[in-house]
């Protein structure tokens, strides 16, 4: 008999010594069911084991879906209905698991919890599911989730003794400053500083905050200039449309480019086209003066229109665009007066809103130089002085105007004579500040020609009396300006009392000056 047979027969031998029950060669108390290798590799056995695991994990689901669908027997995978039911069951189970994860994520450790029970499908699942079914990104300890800055209580500190932490703690303030960066404008890129547990000092945060506000204001200014205003060497869409219409109508042949920029306008050069009517003659070269539609440069210039009797009733501070149009209209009327008086100035072609088309002072796209930029000999300088003196007298007496901004910057030298430009701010002598503007023009002209070496040039007081015809005798400039202000006050009182624009300071030889 072999050793196996002896071991198998040992239990039937009856009671014996104690060492025989612990014999390592003895047979085990429970015998295992023997199975062959073919049974282990059987697909049917694998399905049965899988069903046992599913029954242990989801007992209700298996009980509700007993039959050939779950048991794995007689499953006809060729049926679309059967496949759809299997997929729907799997989808419902995953959907319920996702609801449970969301519910657990939202509730956290809160005492008040919410439930998604009403949104679950008909296949409940076991709450004691394994941890591998829950994605680590759905837990409250997401390493890539931004931690909210811890708020300090109202008392201003946390902890006691050495572990006390006040609201001025460097780490706490740094995290709060990093969280506050989310309040910056969307255009200001701040990056993912919260996710990296970045701590910004107060100095750095204040510098970034100031820079963000500056960039926001700068962006707003650029947008306003681009969309609603005429900027340097550029026009807004409305102005561009007006220029296109002028070219399409044949009034202008082409617009070559910008020739000058100033505080209040941008001047373009253009070649004239064919006139729409026979009585209007368009010069071969034209100057297009586009008044800027922003009021940044007109903050202190509204007094030229507000106190002008010709535009006083139409002036409205609440409509900036109308003020700009009135400014362009004012220059057109002033140029027309000067042209009728024979004063050398640009000829008005047409006015469209804030775009004024005039004749071009120059030749072949080259504008005439300003008087301050041209070098004249003594004879030409003397000739220019007397010409300007004559033009100032004509402007005051025949045109009933004061230039109000006359200087070497607004006078051009072309064809051996002086041309006056930029008369949009010109006012009548009856303006409340008309004589002050005239005295300022006389000062500018006298200083320029006296520096230019013209010995015959009068000083500002003598030139003022020569132009206005008044005989103000004052020893110094202070008394001279005081008398000018007294005359303006007298004229203003007369206008308010009688409602008539009669000049009370006109000379004896000239007729009274009335508004046209």
């Amino acid at each position: 008999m072999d050793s196996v047979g002896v071991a198998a027969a040992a239990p039937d031998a009856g009671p014996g010594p104690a060492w025989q029950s612990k014999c390592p060669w003895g047979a085990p108390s429970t015998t295992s069911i023997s199975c062959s290798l073919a049974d282990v590799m059987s697909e049917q056995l694998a399905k049965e084991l899988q069903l046992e695991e599913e029954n242990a994990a989801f007992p209700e689901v298996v009980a509700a879906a007993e039959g050939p669908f779950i048991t794995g027997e007689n499953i006809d995978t060729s049926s679309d209905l059967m496949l759809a039911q299997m997929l729907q069951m799997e989808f419902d189970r995953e959907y319920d698991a996702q609801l449970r994860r969301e519910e657990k994520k939202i509730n956290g450790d809160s005492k008040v919890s919410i439930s998604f029970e009403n949104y679950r499908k008909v296949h409940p699942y076991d709450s004691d599911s394994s941890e591998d079914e829950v994605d680590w990104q759905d837990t409250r300890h997401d390493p890539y989730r931004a931690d909210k800055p811890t708020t300090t209580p109202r008392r201003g500190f946390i902890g006691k003794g050495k572990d006390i932490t006040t609201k001025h703690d460097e780490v706490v303030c740094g995290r709060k400053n990093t969280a506050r960066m989310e309040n910056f404008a969307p255009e200001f890129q701040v990056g993912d500083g919260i996710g990296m547990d970045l701590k910004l000092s107060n100095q750095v945060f204040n510098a970034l905050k100031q820079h963000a506000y500056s960039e926001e204001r700068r962006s707003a200014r650029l947008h306003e200039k681009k969309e609603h205003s005429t900027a340097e060497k550029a026009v807004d869409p409305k102005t561009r449309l007006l220029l296109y219409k002028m070219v399409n109508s044949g009034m202008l042949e082409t617009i070559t480019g910008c020739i000058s920029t100033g505080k209040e306008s941008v001047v373009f050069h253009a070649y004239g086209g064919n006139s729409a009517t026979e009585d209007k003659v368009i010069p071969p070269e034209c100057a297009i003066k586009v008044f800027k539609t922003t009021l940044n440069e007109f903050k202190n210039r509204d007094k030229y229109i507000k106190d002008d009797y010709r535009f006083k009733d139409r002036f409205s501070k609440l409509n900036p665009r109308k003020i700009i149009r009135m400014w362009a209209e004012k220059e057109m009327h002033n140029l027309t007066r000067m042209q009728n008086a024979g004063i050398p100035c640009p000829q008005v072609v047409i006015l469209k809103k804030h775009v004024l088309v005039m004749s071009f002072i120059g030749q072949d796209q080259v504008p005439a130089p300003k008087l301050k930029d041209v070098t004249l000999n003594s004879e030409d300088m003397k000739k220019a002085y007397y010409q300007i003196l004559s033009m100032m007298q004509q402007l005051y007496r025949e045109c009933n105007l004061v230039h109000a901004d006359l200087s070497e910057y607004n006078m051009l030298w072309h064809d051996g004579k002086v041309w006056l430009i930029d008369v949009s701010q010109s006012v009548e002598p009856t303006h409340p500040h008309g004589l002050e503007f005239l005295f300022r023009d006389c000062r500018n002209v006298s200083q320029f020609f006296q520096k230019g070496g013209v010995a015959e040039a009068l000083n500002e007081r003598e030139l003022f009396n020569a132009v206005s015809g008044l005989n103000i005798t004052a020893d110094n400039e202070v008394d001279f300006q005081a008398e000018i202000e007294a005359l303006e006050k007298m004229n203003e009182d007369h206008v308010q009392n009688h409602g008539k624009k009669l000049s009370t300071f006109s000379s004896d030889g000239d007729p009274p000056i009335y508004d046209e």
Side-chain angles (χ1 to χ4, degrees), residues 264-265 289 291 301 304 308 310-311 326-339 343-346 348 356 358 395 401-406 410-411 419-428:
E264 63 186 30
S265 63
K289 189 171 185 178
F291 289 84
R301 300 176 75 88
Y304 293 97
D308 195 327
R310 297 173 294 172
F311 302 92
M326 290 172 59
W327 196 267
E329 182 182 351
K330 193 166 182 281
E331 178 156 6
M332 182 195 69
H333 289 305
N334 294 339
L335 287 175
T336 303
R337 285 192 187 186
M338 295 168 60
Q339 184 180 352
I343 299 176
C345 65
V348 178
L356 179 62
M358 305 171 291
L395 195 65
L401 289 174
V402 175
H403 192 283
D405 194 19
L406 188 62
N410 292 328
M411 292 183 286
W419 298 68
L420 293 182
I421 60 171
D422 193 10
V423 293
S424 57
Q425 73 285 333
S426 299
V427 297
E428 293 187 348

Side-chain angles (χ1 to χ4, degrees), residues 453-467:
V454 179
E456 295 83 356
L458 304 174
N459 58 36
E460 56 267 22
R461 296 193 293 267
E462 295 174 348
L463 183 59
F464 179 87
N465 289 330
V467 171

Side-chain angles (χ1 to χ4, degrees), residues 163-178:
D163 299 332
I164 188 171
T165 302
T166 65
K167 62 180 181 181
H168 303 291
D169 184 69
E170 183 178 0
V171 177
V172 175
C173 290
R175 289 175 177 171
K176 285 185 177 180
N177 292 337
T178 305

Side-chain angles (χ1 to χ4, degrees), residues 368-379:
K370 298 178 182 178
L371 201 59
K372 75 176 185 67
D373 298 329
V374 67
T375 302
L376 301 177
N377 53 35
S378 58
E379 292 295 329

